[in-house]
Amino acid sequence: AQSVAQPEDQVNVAEGNPLTVKCTYSVSGNPYLFWYVQYPNRGLQFLLKYITGDNLVKGSYGFEAEFNKSQTSFHLKKPSALVSDSALYFCAVRGRMDSNYQLIWGAGTKLIIKP
Amino acid sequence: ETGVTQTPRHLVMGMTNKKSLKCEQHLGHNAMYWYKQSAKKPLELMFVYSLEERVENNSVPSRFSPECPNSSHLFLHLHTLQPEDSALYLCASSQEGPPGVWEQYFGPGTRLTVT
Protein backbone atom coordinates (compact mmCIF):
# COMPACT_ATOMS: atom_id res chain seq x y z
CA ALA A 1 0.00 0.00 0.00
CA GLN A 2 1.15 3.51 -0.73
CA SER A 3 1.98 5.60 2.31
CA VAL A 4 3.80 8.59 3.71
CA ALA A 5 5.41 8.72 7.13
CA GLN A 6 6.45 11.77 9.07
CA PRO A 7 8.04 10.05 12.05
CA GLU A 8 8.17 13.08 14.35
CA ASP A 9 5.01 14.70 15.67
CA GLN A 10 7.05 17.70 16.79
CA VAL A 11 10.50 19.11 16.14
CA ASN A 12 12.07 21.76 18.37
CA VAL A 13 14.92 23.89 17.09
CA ALA A 14 16.67 26.97 18.41
CA GLU A 15 16.55 30.05 16.22
CA GLY A 16 19.57 30.24 13.95
CA ASN A 17 20.21 26.49 14.01
CA PRO A 18 19.65 24.23 11.01
CA LEU A 19 16.37 22.35 10.89
CA THR A 20 15.26 19.06 9.36
CA VAL A 21 11.73 17.72 9.07
CA LYS A 22 11.68 14.10 8.00
CA CYS A 23 9.52 12.34 5.45
CA THR A 24 9.68 8.82 4.09
CA TYR A 25 7.34 7.30 1.55
CA SER A 26 6.22 4.11 -0.11
CA VAL A 27 4.76 4.39 -3.59
CA SER A 28 4.74 2.33 -6.75
CA GLY A 29 7.32 3.50 -9.24
CA ASN A 30 8.98 6.89 -9.19
CA PRO A 31 7.25 9.50 -7.09
CA TYR A 32 6.30 13.10 -7.25
CA LEU A 33 6.94 14.63 -3.81
CA PHE A 34 5.63 17.78 -2.18
CA TRP A 35 6.02 19.81 0.98
CA TYR A 36 3.33 22.13 2.29
CA VAL A 37 3.27 24.41 5.33
CA GLN A 38 0.29 25.45 7.45
CA TYR A 39 0.49 28.49 9.67
CA PRO A 40 -2.04 28.87 12.52
CA ASN A 41 -5.59 29.56 11.33
CA ARG A 42 -4.54 29.29 7.71
CA GLY A 43 -4.83 26.78 4.91
CA LEU A 44 -1.89 24.86 3.54
CA GLN A 45 0.68 26.65 1.39
CA PHE A 46 2.87 24.95 -1.19
CA LEU A 47 6.60 25.05 -0.37
CA LEU A 48 8.34 22.91 -2.97
CA LYS A 49 8.10 19.80 -5.11
CA TYR A 50 10.32 17.17 -6.63
CA ILE A 51 9.48 16.02 -10.13
CA THR A 52 12.72 14.88 -11.73
CA GLY A 53 16.33 15.88 -12.11
CA ASP A 54 18.45 17.37 -9.34
CA ASN A 55 17.82 15.61 -6.06
CA LEU A 56 18.10 18.88 -4.14
CA VAL A 57 15.02 21.02 -4.59
CA LYS A 58 14.85 24.63 -3.47
CA GLY A 59 11.58 26.22 -2.45
CA SER A 60 9.95 29.17 -0.75
CA TYR A 61 11.21 30.95 2.40
CA GLY A 62 14.71 29.45 2.13
CA PHE A 63 13.57 25.85 2.46
CA GLU A 64 15.01 22.97 0.48
CA ALA A 65 14.45 19.24 0.36
CA GLU A 66 16.59 16.35 -0.72
CA PHE A 67 15.16 13.40 -2.62
CA ASN A 68 16.90 10.15 -1.71
CA LYS A 69 15.63 7.30 -3.82
CA SER A 70 17.53 4.53 -2.05
CA GLN A 71 16.20 5.61 1.34
CA THR A 72 12.78 6.60 -0.06
CA SER A 73 13.04 9.88 1.79
CA PHE A 74 12.34 13.53 1.07
CA HIS A 75 13.50 15.47 4.13
CA LEU A 76 12.83 19.19 4.40
CA LYS A 77 15.73 21.38 5.49
CA LYS A 78 16.71 24.93 6.19
CA PRO A 79 20.22 26.11 7.12
CA SER A 80 19.15 28.70 9.69
CA ALA A 81 15.75 28.57 11.38
CA LEU A 82 13.58 31.61 12.06
CA VAL A 83 10.94 31.93 14.75
CA SER A 84 8.47 32.66 11.94
CA ASP A 85 9.13 29.15 10.55
CA SER A 86 7.09 27.75 13.43
CA ALA A 87 4.17 25.97 11.77
CA LEU A 88 2.77 22.59 10.77
CA TYR A 89 4.54 20.90 7.87
CA PHE A 90 3.03 18.25 5.61
CA CYS A 91 4.74 15.91 3.20
CA ALA A 92 2.73 14.45 0.31
CA VAL A 93 3.49 11.99 -2.47
CA ARG A 94 1.87 10.57 -5.57
CA GLY A 95 2.87 8.09 -8.17
CA ARG A 96 3.71 9.35 -11.65
CA MET A 97 0.75 7.56 -13.17
CA ASP A 98 -1.65 8.88 -10.54
CA SER A 99 -3.84 11.92 -10.83
CA ASN A 100 -3.21 15.04 -8.83
CA TYR A 101 -6.06 14.23 -6.48
CA GLN A 102 -4.48 10.94 -5.54
CA LEU A 103 -1.97 12.64 -3.28
CA ILE A 104 -1.08 10.69 -0.17
CA TRP A 105 -0.55 12.92 2.83
CA GLY A 106 1.56 12.57 5.93
CA ALA A 107 0.07 13.36 9.33
CA GLY A 108 2.14 16.51 9.71
CA THR A 109 5.05 17.62 11.87
CA LYS A 110 4.78 20.60 14.19
CA LEU A 111 7.93 22.69 13.98
CA ILE A 112 8.67 24.95 16.93
CA ILE A 113 11.51 27.45 16.66
CA LYS A 114 12.55 28.91 19.99
CA PRO A 115 14.22 32.34 20.25
CA GLU B 1 -3.38 35.09 -0.18
CA THR B 2 -3.59 31.95 -2.29
CA GLY B 3 -6.50 32.89 -4.56
CA VAL B 4 -8.90 30.46 -2.88
CA THR B 5 -11.52 31.89 -0.53
CA GLN B 6 -13.82 30.07 1.85
CA THR B 7 -16.87 31.21 3.78
CA PRO B 8 -17.74 31.12 6.56
CA ARG B 9 -14.46 30.86 8.45
CA HIS B 10 -16.19 29.51 11.54
CA LEU B 11 -19.45 27.64 11.87
CA VAL B 12 -21.24 26.21 14.88
CA MET B 13 -24.26 24.08 14.12
CA GLY B 14 -26.55 21.70 15.88
CA MET B 15 -27.03 18.15 14.71
CA THR B 16 -30.40 18.95 13.13
CA ASN B 17 -29.28 22.05 11.23
CA LYS B 18 -28.61 22.43 7.54
CA LYS B 19 -25.76 24.66 6.45
CA SER B 20 -23.48 25.12 3.47
CA LEU B 21 -19.80 25.86 3.05
CA LYS B 22 -18.71 27.91 0.09
CA CYS B 23 -15.42 27.95 -1.79
CA GLU B 24 -14.33 30.16 -4.66
CA GLN B 25 -11.08 30.05 -6.61
CA HIS B 26 -9.74 32.94 -8.69
CA LEU B 27 -6.86 31.03 -10.29
CA GLY B 28 -8.45 29.64 -13.44
CA HIS B 29 -7.95 26.08 -12.26
CA ASN B 30 -10.01 23.18 -13.57
CA ALA B 31 -10.12 20.98 -10.46
CA MET B 32 -11.46 21.62 -6.97
CA TYR B 33 -11.32 19.58 -3.79
CA TRP B 34 -12.85 19.26 -0.35
CA TYR B 35 -10.65 17.96 2.46
CA LYS B 36 -11.33 17.25 6.12
CA GLN B 37 -8.50 18.06 8.51
CA SER B 38 -8.47 16.61 12.02
CA ALA B 39 -5.68 17.09 14.52
CA LYS B 40 -2.62 14.86 14.08
CA LYS B 41 -4.13 12.99 11.14
CA PRO B 42 -3.39 13.14 7.42
CA LEU B 43 -5.68 15.22 5.32
CA GLU B 44 -8.76 13.24 4.30
CA LEU B 45 -9.85 13.81 0.72
CA MET B 46 -13.63 13.97 0.58
CA PHE B 47 -14.59 15.04 -2.94
CA VAL B 48 -12.88 16.03 -6.16
CA TYR B 49 -14.37 17.82 -9.13
CA SER B 50 -12.48 18.03 -12.40
CA LEU B 51 -14.02 20.10 -15.18
CA GLU B 52 -17.13 20.32 -12.99
CA GLU B 53 -17.60 16.54 -12.94
CA ARG B 54 -17.21 14.64 -9.71
CA VAL B 55 -14.28 12.25 -10.10
CA GLU B 56 -13.72 11.11 -6.53
CA ASN B 57 -15.93 10.43 -3.56
CA ASN B 58 -14.01 8.71 -0.81
CA SER B 59 -16.85 6.91 0.94
CA VAL B 60 -18.07 10.11 2.52
CA PRO B 61 -21.34 9.86 4.48
CA SER B 62 -24.39 11.16 2.66
CA ARG B 63 -24.86 13.89 5.26
CA PHE B 64 -22.14 15.68 3.25
CA SER B 65 -23.30 16.70 -0.21
CA PRO B 66 -21.03 18.57 -2.66
CA GLU B 67 -22.07 20.85 -5.46
CA CYS B 68 -19.91 22.36 -8.21
CA PRO B 69 -22.00 24.74 -10.35
CA ASN B 70 -18.97 25.96 -12.35
CA SER B 71 -15.20 25.68 -12.37
CA SER B 72 -14.76 28.55 -9.91
CA HIS B 73 -17.24 27.60 -7.19
CA LEU B 74 -17.62 24.64 -4.91
CA PHE B 75 -20.11 24.06 -2.12
CA LEU B 76 -20.39 21.52 0.65
CA HIS B 77 -23.94 21.10 1.93
CA LEU B 78 -24.23 19.79 5.48
CA HIS B 79 -27.21 18.22 7.23
CA THR B 80 -27.80 16.12 10.33
CA LEU B 81 -24.12 16.11 11.19
CA GLN B 82 -22.55 14.27 14.12
CA PRO B 83 -20.17 15.68 16.74
CA GLU B 84 -17.32 13.67 15.19
CA ASP B 85 -17.73 15.75 12.05
CA SER B 86 -16.25 18.72 13.89
CA ALA B 87 -13.04 19.59 12.06
CA LEU B 88 -11.38 22.07 9.74
CA TYR B 89 -12.77 21.77 6.21
CA LEU B 90 -10.37 22.84 3.52
CA CYS B 91 -11.08 23.66 -0.07
CA ALA B 92 -8.32 23.44 -2.65
CA SER B 93 -7.90 23.89 -6.38
CA SER B 94 -5.33 22.90 -8.96
CA GLN B 95 -4.73 22.57 -12.63
CA GLU B 96 -5.30 19.00 -13.73
CA GLY B 97 -3.77 17.37 -16.80
CA PRO B 98 -0.57 17.71 -18.82
CA PRO B 99 1.82 19.30 -19.18
CA GLY B 100 3.37 19.70 -15.79
CA VAL B 101 2.86 18.46 -12.27
CA TRP B 102 0.70 20.90 -10.44
CA GLU B 103 0.49 21.75 -6.77
CA GLN B 104 -2.75 22.41 -4.97
CA TYR B 105 -3.75 25.81 -3.65
CA PHE B 106 -5.73 25.86 -0.41
CA GLY B 107 -8.24 28.18 1.12
CA PRO B 108 -8.04 29.18 4.79
CA GLY B 109 -10.63 26.62 5.82
CA THR B 110 -13.91 26.58 7.71
CA ARG B 111 -13.67 25.56 11.36
CA LEU B 112 -16.83 23.52 11.93
CA THR B 113 -18.14 22.66 15.38
CA VAL B 114 -21.14 20.35 15.68
CA THR B 115 -22.95 20.57 19.02
Side-chain angles (χ1 to χ4, degrees), chain B residues 13-20 61-65 76-82 85 112 114:
Chain B
M13 58 186 290
M15 289 191 284
T16 58
N17 291 159
K18 291 184 179 181
K19 296 287 185 182
S20 296
S62 59
R63 57 187 183 268
F64 295 93
S65 174
L76 188 62
H77 304 299
L78 317 171
H79 67 97
T80 58
L81 294 189
Q82 304 299 310
D85 296 322
L112 174 66
V114 182

Side-chain angles (χ1 to χ4, degrees), chain A residues 9 32 34 36 38 41-46 49 51 88 90 94 99-103 105-108, chain B residues 1 9 33 35 37 40-43 45 48 55-56 88 90 94-96 101-104 106-108:
Chain A
D9 285 343
Y32 294 134
F34 303 80
Y36 287 79
Q38 184 177 32
N41 302 313
R42 303 284 292 277
L44 279 70
Q45 296 180 33
F46 169 74
K49 63 186 175 187
I51 300 175
L88 192 55
F90 290 92
R94 56 171 264 228
S99 297
N100 200 22
Y101 55 81
Q102 291 171 298
L103 272 182
W105 294 86
Chain B
E1 297 302 322
R9 294 292 307 274
Y33 313 73
Y35 285 94
Q37 184 180 18
K40 299 186 178 181
K41 293 176 66 176
L43 292 183
L45 180 64
V48 180
V55 296
E56 189 83 2
L88 183 67
L90 292 167
S94 73
Q95 191 62 21
E96 192 66 15
V101 178
W102 308 106
E103 57 271 21
Q104 296 179 21
F106 286 80

